[in-house]
Amino acid sequence: MLSNDTASDENTENTTELARHQNLYELINSQYQEALNLDGIELDAEIKTILSQPKNEIIVNFPVKLEDGTTKLFKGYRVQHNNLLGPFKGGIRFHQCVYLDECKALAFWMTIKCSLQNIPFGGGKGGIKFNPRDYSREDLKHISKEFAKALYRYIGSDIDIPAPDMGTDSQIMDWMVYGYNSVSGNTSTDFGVFTGKSLSCEGNVARSSATGKGIVICIQEWAKRNNIDLHGKTYILQGFGNVGSHTAMLLHTLGLSLIGVGDHTCYISNPEGFNVFKLSNHTKKHKCLKGYVSEEVEITREEFFRTECDIIIPAALEMQITRSVARVLNCKVVVEGANGPTSSKADAVLKERNIEVIPDILANSGGVIVSYLEWLANKQHTTFDEEYTNSWLEKRMVDTYNQVNDLSKDNNITLRMAGYWLALRRLSEHHQRIN
Ligand code: NAD
């Protein structure tokens, strides 16, 4: 068993999950404080104070009539961190551990991420505290619609634009669009109030793969700078949902081999490399990895993280790479698909061990870049095709990667701190301009 950083800093499914979430706001605050202390960052004093807490923390308790005839009360959150650069923007999560501090942290990261990518959005995040796996599709439809109705006063295509996150998908965004529009009083359907929608609901054709594509672009840029030929390289992946599965399928086309993968049900390994397309079919059908191979070839979570490989991609929950995990990782680079997967103590260990980290604020920002295009298209009553979207995404990711990388090398700071520097400076300059 890996030793704990703190009682709450390890993953034993469910029992410590809530405790782990209590650390998340501390994690972003420690990153923020570290960034504020960087030599030469020179920020406007007022912006430091403004960013230290979210603007709005909204909690709604809303009733939903379920298929079995009973009525249940659900607790939903929407945190609006900052809208200096544009409307609040960020995902909606369906998970049994959704928690106010978690939403506050995730909303803050969205402020940083949008600023880093120079997208005219601020930061928001929300969710409903329940396990979507316990409910039928019909119940999920009603829960989604009622949540959007409960939130309608606080959101809108020029106010706050939610998107999918863990436990939600394009279908859920579509239902929320219809729920919102049924009470908003708009004369025509406002599609721009949510992104990550299906094509039939004015979504963008490349949105579901965008976060994975952004991750893969970062890996390619990292490889270029380190003179690494990616063909034949190995990686392990935690999480095989939207982000994880798209990342895996794109990495396959570059010739990388997935030798370990895990989700909430199991961890499995295959030194010869998994067939990622078969894995994807299995998870689409069964909603988890369990049963893909016989239980005898399963590995433990600890064995998974000890796997010798070139790249590790956490693409599930936050706080997965703790100090004790960081000590045993056997890779060259960690690419943060998930938000906040690495604790502060783990970050320090990885730095000491010369394992580079491509941080969440950069690595998983492809989703919000394409969400921006989707929103823009909705506003202009047009569509952007796959080719245009992907080339726009690629250019933005490569340019930002270069800026972050150059700042990191010139100042001998981590990629994470370089990302914060660029994002905070943009926010600070904007604040000065308008005041
Ligand atoms: P998803 O719901 O599609 O998939 C989540 C995956 O994590 C699933 O494979 C699930 O089994 C796994 N998982 C859940 N609990 C786990 C546990 N205790 N241990 C191991 N695995 C577990 O969610 P997603 O949209 O792929 O999001 C994954 C991460 O990426 C989240 O941190 C999310 O905030 C972040 N992210 C998502 C997007 C997006 O566009 N969807 C964009 C940026 C960041």
Side-chain angles (χ1 to χ4, degrees):
M1 192 58 194
L2 298 166
S3 67
N4 282 359
D5 290 352
T6 67
S8 63
D9 205 356
E10 282 303 338
N11 175 31
T12 313
E13 258 272 69
N14 294 327
T15 51
T16 57
E17 272 195 330
L18 192 58
R20 182 174 352 102
H21 283 253
Q22 287 168 335
N23 279 335
L24 206 59
Y25 197 54
E26 286 169 26
L27 170 60
I28 185 149
N29 268 314
S30 78
Q31 293 176 355
Y32 181 50
Q33 290 308 322
E34 191 184 341
L36 294 183
N37 289 331
L38 289 170
D39 283 342
I41 190 164
E42 285 167 20
L43 298 181
D44 174 79
E46 207 177 38
I47 191 77
K48 294 184 194 172
T49 312
I50 291 172
L51 294 178
S52 66
Q53 285 291 334
K55 266 192 154 177
N56 305 311
E57 300 170 21
I58 301 150
I59 301 180
V60 290
N61 291 301
F62 58 100
V64 182
K65 196 168 166 87
L66 300 174
E67 249 188 329
D68 63 7
T70 61
T71 297
K72 194 173 168 188
L73 210 53
F74 289 84
K75 186 177 278 295
Y77 300 83
R78 187 70 187 168
V79 172
Q80 298 173 328
H81 179 262
N82 187 272
N83 58 353
L84 202 59
L85 300 179
F88 303 106
K89 182 87 190 85
I92 290 205
R93 185 174 279 199
F94 285 180
H95 194 271
Q96 60 277 18
C97 291
V98 167
Y99 185 79
L100 183 61
D101 265 0
E102 175 194 65
C103 295
K104 285 171 67 174
L106 293 166
F108 198 161
W109 272 312
M110 284 306 294
T111 300
I112 300 294
K113 206 179 293 180
C114 293
S115 175
L116 175 61
Q117 286 292 2
N118 204 5
I119 300 284
F121 285 144
K125 205 80 176 196
I128 309 178
K129 188 186 193 64
F130 81 118
N131 187 348
R133 295 189 190 98
D134 294 344
Y135 292 83
S136 67
R137 213 60 191 154
E138 195 57 22
D139 280 344
L140 287 177
K141 175 174 157 181
H142 293 300
I143 296 165
S144 305
K145 282 186 155 187
E146 292 306 320
F147 184 44
K149 287 188 204 172
L151 277 186
Y152 94 93
R153 285 183 200 84
Y154 311 104
I155 61 175
S157 55
D158 293 315
I159 304 168
D160 182 356
I161 308 139
D165 193 75
M166 215 161 70
T168 55
D169 57 17
S170 58
Q171 173 65 86
I172 286 168
M173 293 305 112
D174 294 359
W175 288 329
M176 289 197 181
V177 165
Y178 295 123
Y180 169 85
N181 279 284
S182 71
V183 291
S184 68
N186 294 332
T187 46
S188 59
T189 306
D190 181 0
F191 289 103
V193 63
F194 289 88
T195 59
K197 307 175 295 285
S198 71
L199 282 182
S200 63
C201 198
E202 312 286 320
N204 178 295
V205 63
R207 173 59 183 91
S208 62
S209 60
T211 308
K213 189 157 176 50
I215 290 169
V216 172
I217 292 167
C218 287
I219 293 173
Q220 288 176 294
E221 293 306 305
W222 167 83
K224 264 188 222 160
R225 272 157 200 79
N226 290 282
N227 294 319
I228 290 171
D229 177 8
L230 285 174
H231 194 86
K233 293 292 178 289
T234 56
Y235 71 103
I236 61 171
L237 175 64
Q238 188 195 38
F240 206 80
N242 173 285
V243 176
S245 62
H246 283 289
T247 303
M249 287 187 281
L250 290 163
L251 287 178
H252 172 81
T253 63
L254 300 179
L256 283 96
S257 183
L258 174 64
I259 59 169
V261 60
D263 74 356
H264 67 287
T265 55
C266 67
Y267 289 87
I268 51 181
S269 110
N270 179 354
E272 300 306 315
F274 285 104
N275 180 327
V276 295
F277 301 99
K278 280 190 178 168
L279 266 183
S280 173
N281 286 341
H282 177 86
T283 52
K284 269 188 199 134
K285 192 165 166 203
H286 301 280
K287 310 284 175 223
C288 65
L289 289 170
K290 193 91 183 164
Y292 182 72
V293 287
S294 72
E295 287 191 7
E296 288 85 69
V297 291
E298 283 184 20
I299 54 170
T300 64
R301 180 177 182 274
E302 179 177 352
E303 288 165 334
F304 168 80
F305 277 123
R306 284 181 184 274
T307 307
E308 185 181 349
C309 59
D310 296 292
I311 304 168
I312 292 184
I313 309 172
L317 293 171
E318 45 270 6
M319 291 290 196
Q320 294 299 299
I321 301 182
T322 55
R323 184 171 52 179
S324 51
V325 171
R327 286 190 186 124
V328 300
L329 294 187
N330 205 345
C331 64
K332 296 186 180 72
V333 64
V334 174
V335 187
E336 295 184 334
N339 286 304
T342 311
S343 76
S344 301
K345 288 174 183 170
D347 230 7
V349 173
L350 294 175
K351 195 173 170 191
E352 217 176 86
R353 294 189 59 211
N354 252 335
I355 296 176
E356 198 150 24
V357 178
I358 305 181
D360 45 10
I361 51 171
L362 173 63
N364 72 29
S365 57
V368 74
I369 294 175
V370 173
S371 272
Y372 170 61
L373 285 188
E374 180 178 334
W375 173 81
L376 208 58
N378 293 160
K379 285 284 190 192
Q380 297 172 356
H381 302 285
T382 183
T383 49
F384 296 126
D385 66 19
E386 192 167 3
E387 203 185 331
Y388 178 82
T389 303
N390 281 335
S391 68
W392 209 85
L393 169 65
E394 182 159 356
K395 180 163 178 10
R396 189 56 71 104
M397 288 299 304
V398 170
D399 286 353
T400 307
Y401 191 99
N402 279 326
Q403 286 172 34
V404 171
N405 186 71
D406 292 351
L407 191 67
S408 151
K409 301 299 169 253
D410 292 350
N411 293 277
N412 195 23
I413 55 176
T414 60
L415 293 174
R416 191 187 312 284
M417 283 304 113
Y420 269 89
W421 182 325
L422 290 169
L424 290 171
R425 203 171 54 193
R426 186 166 284 128
L427 283 157
S428 176
E429 285 167 2
H430 190 74
H431 182 70
Q432 281 174 330
R433 258 197 309 275
I434 62 171
N435 279 290

